[in-house]
Amino acid sequence: MDDSGALLFVLLAGLAATMALVYVPLRIFLTATARLRRLRLLQQIRRLRDELAQPLSLES
């Protein structure tokens, strides 16, 4: 009975390590892409605001 408990512990520890190895890089990637997307959106908003602040040029 003692061997099955140790085997279960090793199995669960291995599963936890595998999940961590998958989760951590995935979380970092998703966080980085979300921040990049938000930064691009903010830059686009700033450009549009700057364009709207400039006077309209009426050249014929």
Side-chain angles (χ1 to χ4, degrees), residues 10-59:
V10 170
L11 188 64
L12 286 176
L15 183 62
T18 304
M19 287 176 63
L21 286 174
V22 170
Y23 175 78
V24 171
L26 183 64
R27 187 72 253 162
I28 291 171
F29 171 75
L30 291 175
T31 301
T33 54
R35 286 185 180 178
L36 184 60
R37 209 175 316 131
R38 191 173 17 198
L39 178 64
R40 285 182 183 161
L41 182 61
L42 284 173
Q43 288 173 342
Q44 186 178 6
I45 290 170
R46 285 183 187 130
R47 261 183 305 196
L48 289 171
R49 192 173 23 183
D50 289 343
E51 287 178 15
L52 288 172
Q54 293 178 0
L56 193 61
S57 60
L58 299 174
E59 296 177 8

